[in-house]
């Protein structure tokens, strides 16, 4: 169920008129309505949840949140007025806090236990602003800053205010006031140069510099296509570049290598698509992406994680590994210089292993937890997520079924125990579940724990059972404000 949060600039400068004869705020309201009509063409939009936030001071900025229905959203949108300051940083923080309100209760982030791409709440924030100077009650800041403090308990567990399934896009209105542009260029809409652009890119989104009504319509069509179920990952190359594919492909390989500067495909900040199950409409998966630390039972706290995991890929060609009945997860990568580079190598039967640094007990790079592989038809690149250190586990399981017939000898058991010691303890539960599906339910003892200390487990449990007091105050004031407004009508 995608969440579509519109953050509208309601500062006084949004009252300026465009060559269309309407104000910037009118254009913004119209853009929201057009987006909703375009989105309604997709049958998947029936599960959409719409939210509306403005630049008004807290708690008055949240016009439609978790409790409000579609009629309330449309009524609040219609009644918006432009006055006040361009407090973009505070408005963005309010928007992220609103989206994150229920995550600790639902346990969707699974702190300290690996990141599950299939546990997600895909959210798109669409900011519509005129891109004017940021203003605040204390002055005119040169840079965009989001408040560091959040009323949400547990917000310290993630370094950034956003999460890996939340992306920010911005429509920056640059429509002239007097004369319609003469030479309107067709093609892609450029990014804007305002303060919000960098914030958009950090989350995996982008900004659009909108100069005409036609460009605005083009942007809205583009944004509708951006509503995808997925999570953002930082893919970083580790080790040397790959050799040329072969003599018959050497010319093409040389061309592909020279087509991109090293920085483009060496480091990509892109989405992996998490498709819902066609029958249930809910994503299904088995294996997490490992944490960037080894769980310590003696640590009273968890280290804060980055919003986007850094997944390192090695360019050493390996044969993809699978065995019968062992589940694996497969995610398509959003097109990028990395996917184009892999596809141009035309090696669909080879793969590149992926790692998360410091995920292992001793190895700095950690052990592989999956691989990147081009599809057989060379139309896309997929991330295969496997059990941790799968090159050791899969041959062991293959021998268990084919050689030992589910009756392993002492040597096999010792090798399996050694493998378990290299695996982060939070993989025990999914591995036990997978072995049960394969017909070997008793290989892992029930007494094995998740590797977290008692104080960390207690803290996470407490967070899941409580509602943050500042949040109660914040949203109580918000409800009271709207109730008073209704009474006055």
């Amino acid at each position: 169920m995608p969440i579509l949060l519109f953050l509208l600039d309601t500062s006084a400068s949004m009252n300026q008129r465009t060559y269309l004869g309407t104000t910037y705020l009118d254009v913004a309201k119209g853009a929201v309505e057009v987006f909703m009509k375009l989105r309604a063409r997709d049958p998947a939009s029936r599960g959409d949840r719409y939210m509306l936030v403005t630049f008004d001071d807290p708690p008055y900025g949240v016009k439609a949140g978790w409790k409000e229905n579609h009629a309330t959203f449309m009524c609040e949108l219609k009644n918006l007025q432009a006055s006040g300051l361009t407090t973009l940083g505070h408005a963005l923080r309010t928007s992220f806090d609103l989206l994150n309100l229920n995550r600790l209760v639902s346990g969707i982030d699974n702190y300290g236990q690996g990141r599950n791409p299939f546990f997600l709440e895909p959210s798109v924030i669409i900011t519509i602003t005129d891109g004017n100077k940021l203003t605040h009650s204390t002055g005119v800041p040169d840079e965009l800053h989001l408040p560091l403090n959040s009323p949400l308990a547990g917000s310290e567990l993630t370094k950034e205010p956003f999460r890996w399934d939340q992306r920010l896009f911005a429509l920056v209105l640059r429509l002239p006031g007097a004369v319609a542009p003469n030479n309107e260029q067709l093609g892609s809409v450029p990014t804007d140069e305002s303060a919000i652009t960098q914030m958009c890119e950090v989350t995996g989104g982008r900004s659009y510099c909108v100069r005409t009504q036609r460009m605005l319509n083009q942007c809205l069509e583009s944004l509708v296509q951006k509503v995808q179920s997925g999570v953002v990952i930082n893919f970083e190359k580790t080790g040397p570049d790959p050799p040329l594919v072969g003599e018959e492909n050497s010319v093409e390989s040389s061309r592909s290598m020279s087509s991109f500067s090293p920085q483009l495909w060496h480091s990509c900040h892109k989405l992996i698509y998490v498709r819902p199950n066609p029958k249930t409409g809910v994503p299904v998966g088995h294996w997490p992406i490992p944490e960037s630390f080894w769980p310590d039972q003696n640590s009273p706290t968890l280290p804060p994680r980055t919003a986007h995991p850094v997944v390192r890929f090695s360019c050493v060609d390996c044969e993809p590994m699978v065995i019968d009945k062992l589940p694996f997860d497969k995610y398509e990568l959003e097109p990028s210089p990395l996917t184009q580079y892999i596809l141009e190598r035309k090696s669909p039967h080879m793969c590149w292993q992926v790692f998360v640094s410091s995920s292992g007990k001793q190895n700095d790079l950690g052990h592989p937890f999956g691989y990147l592989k081009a599809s057989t038809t060379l139309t896309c690149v997929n991330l295969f997520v496997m059990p941790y250190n799968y090159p050791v586990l899969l041959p062991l399981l293959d021998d268990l079924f084919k050689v030992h017939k589910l009756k392993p000898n002492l040597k096999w058991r010792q090798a399996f125990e050694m493998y378990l010691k290299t695996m982060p303890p939070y993989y025990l539960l999914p591995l036990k579940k997978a072995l049960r599906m394969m017909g070997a339910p008793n290989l892992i003892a029930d007494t094995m724990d998740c590797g977290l200390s008692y104080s960390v487990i207690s803290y996470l449990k407490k967070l899941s059972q409580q509602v943050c007091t500042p949040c109660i105050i914040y949203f109580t004031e918000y409800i009271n404000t709207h109730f008073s407004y209704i009474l006055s009508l």
Side-chain angles (χ1 to χ4, degrees):
M1 184 181 70
I3 300 173
L4 301 165
L5 189 153
F6 286 95
L7 174 58
L8 264 60
D9 184 347
T10 50
S11 62
S13 59
M14 290 291 283
N15 285 315
Q16 60 186 310
R17 293 199 172 272
T18 70
Y19 71 91
L20 301 169
T22 54
T23 66
Y24 271 23
L25 185 60
D26 292 332
V27 173
K29 291 179 181 181
V32 174
E33 294 180 357
V34 171
F35 177 92
M36 295 174 76
K37 290 176 182 177
L38 294 173
R39 173 65 181 157
R41 297 174 183 172
D42 187 345
S45 66
R46 286 176 292 184
D48 290 354
R49 176 185 289 277
Y50 283 94
M51 296 183 180
L52 181 63
V53 179
T54 69
F55 284 19
D56 293 349
D57 291 336
Y60 309 108
V62 180
K63 304 299 182 183
W66 288 99
K67 302 292 185 182
E68 286 67 42
N69 58 23
H70 180 73
T72 303
F73 176 94
M74 295 306 297
C75 180
E76 291 290 345
L77 178 67
K78 180 182 177 182
N79 293 326
L80 289 184
Q81 295 182 353
S83 62
L85 304 174
T86 311
T87 52
L88 177 59
H90 283 80
L92 281 172
R93 183 80 218 206
T94 298
S95 300
F96 288 127
D97 284 348
L98 179 63
L99 291 175
N100 297 332
L101 190 61
N102 297 317
R103 293 180 78 94
L104 281 167
V105 177
S106 66
I108 196 171
D109 290 311
N110 206 39
Y111 287 109
Q113 299 290 285
R115 305 176 192 239
N116 294 314
F118 45 91
F119 287 166
L120 79 166
E121 205 168 57
S123 306
V124 173
I125 299 178
I126 300 174
T127 302
I128 308 180
T129 177
D130 60 6
N132 274 359
K133 277 279 189 182
L134 303 175
T135 53
H136 194 265
S137 57
T138 57
V140 181
D142 293 327
E143 298 178 343
L144 174 62
H145 292 287
L146 274 65
L148 294 176
N149 297 324
S150 168
L152 296 180
S155 59
E156 79 284 354
L157 295 173
T158 303
K159 293 179 180 179
E160 299 89 350
F162 53 86
R163 305 293 181 264
W164 66 340
D165 51 2
Q166 300 167 356
R167 290 177 297 153
L168 173 66
F169 296 89
L171 297 173
V172 185
L173 305 178
R174 303 289 187 186
L175 286 73
V179 183
N182 293 325
N183 300 321
E184 182 177 351
Q185 294 182 346
L186 298 177
S188 61
V189 179
T191 57
D192 196 70
E193 296 181 357
S194 57
I196 198 172
T197 294
Q198 187 176 1
M199 188 69 193
C200 291
E201 293 171 351
V202 165
T203 66
R206 60 156 296 184
S207 68
Y208 299 86
C209 180
V210 180
R211 299 191 181 279
T212 67
Q213 181 66 47
R214 189 172 179 179
M215 288 178 76
L216 178 59
N217 293 336
Q218 184 181 344
C219 294
L220 293 172
E221 292 274 7
S222 172
L223 281 173
V224 168
Q225 302 302 317
K226 301 291 186 184
V227 183
Q228 299 280 353
S229 177
V231 295
V232 177
I233 291 178
N234 281 319
F235 289 98
E236 303 277 353
K237 183 182 77 73
T238 184
D241 283 6
L244 298 180
V245 174
E247 299 217 353
E248 69 277 12
N249 294 329
S250 59
V251 174
E252 187 158 356
S253 295
S254 299
R255 183 188 69 77
S256 67
M257 294 235 184
S258 61
S259 298
F260 303 100
S261 64
Q263 292 76 14
L264 286 178
W265 70 270
H266 283 189
S267 177
C268 282
H269 187 65
K270 288 293 181 179
L271 200 71
I272 60 169
Y273 301 121
V274 183
R275 311 291 188 192
N277 184 300
K279 294 181 179 179
T280 63
V282 178
V284 176
H286 302 88
W287 308 105
I289 292 174
E291 301 280 2
S292 59
F293 63 91
W294 183 268
D296 182 0
Q297 283 189 316
N298 298 317
S299 175
T301 59
L302 281 175
R305 63 161 61 148
T306 57
H308 302 145
V310 178
V311 171
R312 304 194 181 277
F313 60 91
S314 167
C315 299
V316 177
D317 284 344
C318 300
E319 291 190 8
M321 297 178 69
V322 289
I323 62 171
D324 290 343
K325 298 183 181 179
L326 179 71
F328 60 86
D329 302 326
K330 179 181 173 182
Y331 305 103
E332 180 186 341
L333 271 67
E334 183 181 17
S336 68
L338 173 60
T339 60
Q340 190 172 348
Y341 183 87
I342 293 175
L343 292 173
E344 286 194 356
R345 289 178 58 79
K346 296 184 178 179
S347 301
H349 302 297
M350 302 303 289
C351 68
W352 289 351
Q353 291 180 335
V354 290
F355 308 79
V356 170
S357 294
S358 303
S359 59
K361 197 169 188 177
Q362 296 173 336
N363 189 345
D364 287 343
L365 185 59
H367 296 287
F369 69 91
Y371 49 82
L372 294 174
K373 179 184 171 299
S375 63
T376 308
T377 56
L378 293 174
T379 55
C380 66
V381 175
N382 295 304
L383 169 66
F384 288 78
V385 179
M386 308 286 289
Y388 193 79
N389 201 7
Y390 71 92
V392 173
L393 175 65
L394 268 59
L396 280 172
L397 294 182
D398 209 34
D399 286 349
L400 175 68
F401 286 91
K402 294 180 179 178
V403 177
H404 300 290
K405 308 297 182 183
L406 289 175
K407 295 180 180 178
N409 57 20
L410 179 61
K411 183 179 178 182
W412 187 95
R413 288 187 177 277
Q414 288 174 338
F416 186 66
E417 289 295 326
M418 287 294 293
Y419 160 76
L420 291 180
K421 291 179 180 178
T422 70
M423 183 188 73
Y426 49 81
Y427 274 86
L428 286 169
L429 192 60
L431 179 57
K432 191 173 178 64
K433 183 179 178 181
L435 292 173
R436 191 184 306 118
M437 292 168 58
M438 297 175 73
N442 301 317
L443 284 177
I444 299 176
D446 292 328
T447 55
M448 290 189 167
D449 56 49
C450 63
L452 300 179
S453 66
Y454 175 77
S455 60
V456 168
I457 294 172
S458 299
Y459 178 62
L460 293 174
K461 186 176 181 180
K462 181 181 176 183
L463 289 176
S464 69
Q465 293 175 345
Q466 73 175 21
V467 179
C468 181
T469 302
C471 290
I472 294 175
I473 297 171
Y474 182 98
F475 289 101
T476 300
E477 289 181 4
Y478 160 68
I479 292 168
N480 289 340
T481 302
H482 281 253
F483 186 64
S484 301
Y485 170 75
I486 292 168
L487 287 178
S488 66
L489 293 178

